[in-house]
Amino acid sequence: MARVLGAPVALGLWSLCWSLAIATPLPPTSAHGNVAEGETKPDPDVTERCSDGWSFDATTLDDNGTMLFFKAVECHRGECQAEGVLFFQGDREWFWDLATGTMKERSWPAVGNCSSALRWLGRYYCFQGNQFLRFDPVRGEVPPRYPRDVRDYFMPCPGRGHGHRNGTGHGNSTHHGPEYMRCSPHLVLSALTSDNHGATYAFSGTHYWRLDTSRDGWHSWPIAHQWPQGPSAVDAAFSWEEKLYLVQGTQVYVFLTKGGYTLVSGYPKRLEKEVGTPHGIILDSVDAAFICPGSSRLHIMAGRRLWWLDLKSGAQATWTELPWPHEKVDGALCMEKSLGPNSCSANGPGLYLIHGPNLYCYSDVEKLNAAKALPQPQNVTSLLGCTH
């Protein structure tokens, strides 16, 4: 790996990794062991992978979303500056640019020696034995409080999990905490959006859930982890032209989505400075906002009123009020990709509006404007993949 690798060699390494993953995945055994003749005996696989001396040589996810650890990581456009693959050998790192076919060495002293690496939900992880750290795939920076123990976050081990360490008793909250909160009947979502890279976000309080694919599933993180310079909570969110807009109160935060989320200089600023205001109306806050894929029309909802405006006009945009049947909504999302059985339409974009525990589906904006009464609601947790 000290010299530039040609495409056949790199692809060969990639294929080898997949063959190893298929050959030696971790079995889906219970962390509590196997029961035989009324006794609970330690599962040898669990004992081995949860021991202090065990480590990983590579990591990936299979088509069912199962995390596989086996004895080099793909980097997506928008998260890296170009589509490519990261390779690790000892304390050296390289980036292979798929478009140019060139290999460039990186200088990332904070990352160090990675025995394996993983991209998961737009985040990049380096595994070092039983320890792991999260790193920026462009700059190689590592956030505070790393490294951490793999057994407390990525796998169920008896008596472990960061829930055990902080005294909550909920165990490994990477597996259990977000699932409980996401499917709680008391869950209240404040905003929804989907970025230009296909990731879907749902905001609630100081946290958000992210869905890349059904394989990855929905997972919860603090807002400050993804957008450390962003708002503490999100009232409305939308994406346009490789930028993500997060609104809190009268303030709007604009992040560039290419190469990770970077706050645009000069933000936050008042929403009216960004997109103007309706004629004769001063908005203290907005309830929800959305843009349908391929459009520059921003729809904004406040109370029982709905407007649209063209983002290409900036702060000089004309706000046009539209009819709709809702008294109020908490969040809105317009997207093309299917969300499984909860999709609003079989073809084209679907429009989702949420209010409290209720989810309302429309096939498009025109159907929303023409509706005289609310459609039959679904439970909002069904949008997040919950079955009950």
Side-chain angles (χ1 to χ4, degrees):
M1 200 71 76
R3 59 185 177 86
V4 175
L5 295 180
V9 176
L11 290 175
L13 287 172
W14 198 243
S15 300
L16 175 60
C17 289
W18 274 110
S19 66
L20 289 172
I22 295 172
T24 57
L26 290 181
T29 53
S30 167
H32 300 293
N34 295 326
V35 178
E37 299 180 354
E39 296 182 359
T40 301
K41 296 183 178 180
D43 188 307
D45 293 315
V46 173
T47 301
E48 179 184 7
R49 70 172 182 258
C50 294
S51 67
D52 291 332
W54 201 73
S55 63
F56 315 117
D57 294 319
T59 316
T60 190
L61 294 171
D62 70 7
D63 289 337
N64 296 317
T66 301
M67 191 166 292
L68 304 178
F69 299 87
F70 51 94
K71 302 193 173 184
V73 64
E74 185 178 3
C75 199
H76 292 203
R77 183 182 303 277
E79 295 166 354
C80 281
Q81 294 174 335
E83 195 84 9
V85 181
L86 291 167
F87 291 93
F88 300 83
Q89 184 184 55
D91 59 358
R92 303 175 69 183
E93 302 87 16
W94 291 264
F95 178 75
W96 180 38
D97 191 313
L98 290 174
T100 64
T102 58
M103 184 80 80
K104 297 180 181 179
E105 187 167 0
R106 304 294 198 202
S107 177
W108 292 347
V111 176
N113 190 341
C114 297
S115 58
S116 68
L118 169 71
R119 175 193 179 274
W120 184 45
L121 298 175
R123 292 165 177 256
Y124 292 78
Y125 297 90
C126 162
F127 293 86
Q128 304 166 333
N130 278 333
Q131 302 292 305
F132 77 97
L133 52 85
R134 180 162 63 89
F135 66 93
D136 185 296
V138 177
R139 297 177 291 273
E141 298 171 348
V142 176
R145 299 187 297 277
Y146 285 95
R148 300 176 182 178
D149 198 299
V150 173
R151 297 165 293 180
D152 289 326
Y153 291 85
F154 283 95
M155 59 174 58
C157 287
R160 300 198 67 99
H162 54 280
H164 282 284
R165 292 189 296 111
N166 63 25
T168 63
H170 292 156
N172 191 330
S173 64
T174 298
H175 292 274
H176 303 296
E179 177 69 20
Y180 171 77
M181 294 292 293
R182 174 171 58 90
C183 298
S184 169
H186 305 295
L187 174 67
V188 176
L189 297 181
S190 61
L192 299 165
T193 193
S194 183
D195 67 18
N196 55 305
H197 304 299
T200 303
Y201 300 90
F203 296 87
S204 178
T206 59
H207 284 66
Y208 71 94
W209 282 266
R210 172 168 174 159
L211 175 72
D212 281 17
T213 66
S214 57
R215 182 184 74 173
D216 294 316
W218 291 92
H219 294 274
S220 177
W221 309 95
I223 293 173
H225 281 197
Q226 183 74 296
W227 302 282
Q229 297 175 290
S232 58
V234 177
D235 298 324
F238 58 93
S239 295
W240 183 62
E241 289 193 335
E242 296 193 346
K243 295 189 290 290
L244 177 69
Y245 296 73
L246 301 180
V247 181
Q248 182 180 30
T250 60
Q251 301 293 304
V252 59
Y253 299 74
V254 180
F255 293 85
L256 299 178
T257 60
K258 186 176 182 179
Y261 290 100
T262 304
L263 184 66
V264 177
S265 178
Y267 288 85
K269 63 171 60 172
R270 289 184 66 86
L271 184 63
E272 65 187 44
K273 298 293 185 182
E274 185 73 19
V275 296
T277 58
H279 180 70
I281 297 177
I282 298 177
L283 290 178
D284 295 328
S285 63
V286 299
D287 295 326
F290 70 87
I291 295 180
C292 290
S295 173
S296 62
R297 283 192 172 191
L298 170 64
H299 292 76
I300 291 181
M301 288 140 278
R304 59 188 303 173
R305 308 185 77 166
L306 166 66
W307 298 271
W308 77 267
L309 57 102
D310 194 333
L311 280 177
K312 292 180 180 179
S313 301
Q316 305 306 315
T318 299
W319 289 50
T320 303
E321 189 164 2
L322 298 171
W324 68 327
H326 292 264
E327 294 289 328
K328 187 182 186 301
V329 296
D330 298 321
L333 174 66
C334 186
M335 62 188 306
E336 286 183 335
K337 75 177 184 180
S338 170
L339 286 178
N342 305 304
S343 296
C344 293
S345 62
N347 299 299
L351 177 58
Y352 305 83
L353 302 182
I354 58 172
H355 184 205
N358 296 323
L359 169 69
Y360 301 93
C361 271
Y362 299 89
S363 58
D364 51 43
V365 178
E366 288 70 26
K367 292 292 193 297
L368 170 65
N369 299 153
K372 302 301 182 183
L374 299 183
Q376 183 67 29
Q378 303 178 41
N379 193 296
V380 70
T381 58
S382 67
L383 184 69
L384 304 181
C386 303
T387 57
H388 301 289

